[in-house]
């Protein structure tokens, strides 16, 4: 167990390093100059004092060779110090911590809805005896997967905010403002979970041990929920681990559509202004979430199915 966890942590460290390195290289190769954007305040000022540009480059270490910049940034990232924002001069880590609670709130709500809707739809599409009803319900997940998050968000705002006036269209004001963004974020993810879980359920229900349980007189509901659902949940559990990262990336679009303050809007602003410290901090944080969730999912496999050992457990990410 300890060796497995240490090996997975080592793999996670490599993932974090790779994410940091690739992002640094991409940002360094961008044609725009972050110092000019900084000096112009993100605007389009045509004439900027060269002395000011040189001073800003020296202040932020951008006058060093690329390798020196990379090693300095990598050493700071290892201490969770990504430097100060080019635009606000605040520590990049503190900027993320300021908006992180709002994004985590949205992500957790979206994840909970995804699981409830996904499992519910998967069970509903495999449990009824009526064939046409099963087929009709089974057609819903592919439709949900194909719906863009921004389109779902706009439709929800149009119907539930502008027409029916049930929920606020924008902002972070209370629980009511969380409902529509969470639903918009959850629908595509829940469709993916439902699609995979329903397929796995249908395969599990055709297994010989299910037929044996039925032959012994076990009730239909008991066979479906106790015997089949638990064993069929392994593939869905893997997708659920990946879905956490999808929910975080979807939060960028969702927070923009609903004008919510969060990690998504901070990321868009940092990318537009080429605020390298903030972008690097966001990327490393997102990669860290992937690593932690993947490890947690791997450790859950033996609890869901005791026949699975950690050595044979499927890799979540």
């Amino acid at each position: 167990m300890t060796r497995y966890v240490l090996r997975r942590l080592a793999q996670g460290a490599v993932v974090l390093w790779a994410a940091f390195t690739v992002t640094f290289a991409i940002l360094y190769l961008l044609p725009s100059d972050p110092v000019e954007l900084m000096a112009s305040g993100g605007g389009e000022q045509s004439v900027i004092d060269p002395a000011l540009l040189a001073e800003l480059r020296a202040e932020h270490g951008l006058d060093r060779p690329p390798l020196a910049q990379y090693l300095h940034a990598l050493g700071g990232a290892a201490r969770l110090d990504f430097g100060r924002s080019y635009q606000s001069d605040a520590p990049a880590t503190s900027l993320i911590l300021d908006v992180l609670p709002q994004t985590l709130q949205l992500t957790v709500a979206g994840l909970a809805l995804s699981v409830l809707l996904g499992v519910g739809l998967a069970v509903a599409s495999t449990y009824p005896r009526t064939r046409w009803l099963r087929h009709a319900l089974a057609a819903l997940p592919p439709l949900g997967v194909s719906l863009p998050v921004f389109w779902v968000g706009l439709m929800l705002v149009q119907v539930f905010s502008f027409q029916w006036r049930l929920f606020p269209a924008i902002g972070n004001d209370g629980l009511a403002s969380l409902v529509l963004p969470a639903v918009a974020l959850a629908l595509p993810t829940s469709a993916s979970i439902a699609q995979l879980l329903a397929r796995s359920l249908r395969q599990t229900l055709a297994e010989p041990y299910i037929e044996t349980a039925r032959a012994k007189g076990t009730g239909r509901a008991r066979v479906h929920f106790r015997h089949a659902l638990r064993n069929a949940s392994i593939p869905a559990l893997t997708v659920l681990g990946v879905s956490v990262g999808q929910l975080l990336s979807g939060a960028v679009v969702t927070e923009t559509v609903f004008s919510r303050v969060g990690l998504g809007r901070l990321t868009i602003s940092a990318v537009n202004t080429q605020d390298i410290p903030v972008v690097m901090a966001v990327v490393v944080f997102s990669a860290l979430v992937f690593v932690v969730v993947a490890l947690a999912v791997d450790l859950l496999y033996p609890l869901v199915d005791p026949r699975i050992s950690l050595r044979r457990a499927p890799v979540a990410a």
Side-chain angles (χ1 to χ4, degrees), residues 116-264:
L116 290 175
L117 294 175
V119 174
L121 185 56
V123 172
S125 65
T126 56
Y127 188 78
R129 297 180 184 273
T130 308
R131 176 176 292 184
W132 70 265
L133 181 58
R134 293 200 308 268
H135 289 174
L137 293 172
L140 294 178
L143 177 62
V145 171
S146 64
L147 296 177
V149 174
F150 74 89
W151 183 86
V152 173
L154 291 175
M155 291 301 101
L156 290 174
V157 168
Q158 179 66 29
V159 174
F160 292 97
S161 295
F162 296 154
Q163 293 185 7
W164 295 352
R165 301 185 182 278
L166 296 177
F167 300 101
I170 60 175
N172 298 59
D173 189 15
L175 183 61
S177 65
L178 184 64
V179 174
L180 295 185
V183 172
L185 194 60
L187 283 180
T189 304
S190 65
S192 299
I193 295 173
Q195 192 173 23
L196 186 59
L197 182 57
R199 185 184 303 117
S200 182
L201 262 174
R202 285 190 289 268
Q203 294 173 351
T204 304
L205 289 169
E207 292 289 335
Y209 75 90
I210 296 293
E211 297 297 330
T212 302
R214 289 169 176 164
K216 290 181 179 180
T218 305
R220 188 163 178 270
R222 184 181 179 88
V223 167
H224 205 96
F225 291 99
R226 182 167 181 177
H227 294 281
L229 184 59
R230 181 172 181 176
N231 292 332
S233 63
I234 296 297
L237 186 61
T238 303
V239 170
L240 184 62
V242 177
S243 297
V244 173
Q246 294 176 343
L247 290 170
L248 277 176
S249 61
V252 175
V253 179
T254 306
E255 288 174 351
T256 302
V257 171
F258 292 92
S259 297
R260 292 179 59 87
V261 176
L263 194 60

